Amino acid sequence: MTTIPRPHNPPPALLVLIPHAFAVLWLGLMAGFFGTYSANVNLAMLQMDGATYTTVQSAFNRNVRHALFFALFFGPPLWCALAVATAWREHRTLWWRLLAVVGVAYLLGIVFFTQQVNLPLNYTTEAWNPKALPADWAKVRDQWNAANLWRALLSLGCFATALGTLVGRLAGRGT
């Protein structure tokens, strides 16, 4: 008699961990994006003259507007919300509360901050004529770099905290 193998269904506990793992993954991707930009791209751009900086920065700003980037950029607070919503029974644990804080911190400190600070600076840069730059072009560049460094540091902190919550949760410590 031949037995027909049944499909393996992961235990429910594993399914509940998926949004949490995706939150950590998305946060890590964004921390890497912002960190790489601050540690490499911005430093290279400091060596460029104003016309080259304006042309390249404007091209970066325009070319980052696509579905994959938007999914990655807006994903972390959504994954955090889904992770805490699917584990509502654990809302008194430290890991749950920290992950909720991470989602809110990313939403306010990255998404809202980007809308209020980086995007207006992007629009300013994109409006410049590379052959007739405003006198304060370097000041605007430095403001953008400082704002991106903030996003890099905050997203790294969010990633590290979310990773810690996942490790603690998997270890069963409730952290």
Side-chain angles (χ1 to χ4, degrees):
M1 175 185 287
T2 313
T3 11
I4 300 171
R6 294 189 306 187
H8 175 67
N9 293 327
L14 182 60
L15 290 175
V16 173
L17 290 173
I18 290 172
H20 196 157
F22 278 162
V24 172
L25 175 64
W26 256 248
L27 286 161
L29 289 169
M30 291 313 299
F33 175 81
F34 292 127
T36 298
Y37 211 98
S38 281
N40 293 305
V41 176
N42 286 350
L43 295 178
M45 299 281 277
L46 287 173
Q47 300 172 23
M48 296 179 181
D49 62 86
T52 305
Y53 170 81
T54 300
T55 303
V56 173
Q57 183 69 11
S58 293
F60 282 150
N61 292 341
R62 285 189 308 275
N63 286 295
V64 79
R65 297 176 192 142
H66 55 79
L68 178 59
F69 179 77
F70 287 143
L72 292 172
F73 181 78
F74 291 107
L78 298 174
W79 284 117
C80 288
L82 187 59
V84 297
T86 58
W88 176 252
R89 294 178 315 225
E90 299 180 59
H91 71 278
R92 288 193 169 99
T93 61
L94 181 58
W95 79 258
W96 191 97
R97 292 175 186 208
L98 285 174
L99 191 60
V101 167
V102 164
V104 171
Y106 185 95
L107 186 64
L108 296 176
I110 304 293
V111 175
F112 184 71
F113 182 83
T114 297
Q115 177 197 22
Q116 296 298 309
V117 178
N118 289 84
L119 288 179
L121 293 169
N122 288 353
Y123 300 142
T124 298
T125 304
E126 290 171 33
W128 290 343
N129 176 352
K131 294 177 182 164
L133 292 175
D136 68 342
W137 75 267
K139 180 182 173 192
V140 173
R141 177 201 60 202
D142 294 346
Q143 289 172 334
W144 195 95
N145 289 353
N148 193 70
L149 180 59
W150 160 256
R151 296 188 302 179
L153 294 173
L154 180 61
S155 62
L156 178 61
C158 287
F159 168 65
T161 303
L163 181 60
T165 65
L166 183 59
V167 169
R169 185 178 183 189
L170 289 171
R173 293 187 304 229
T175 44

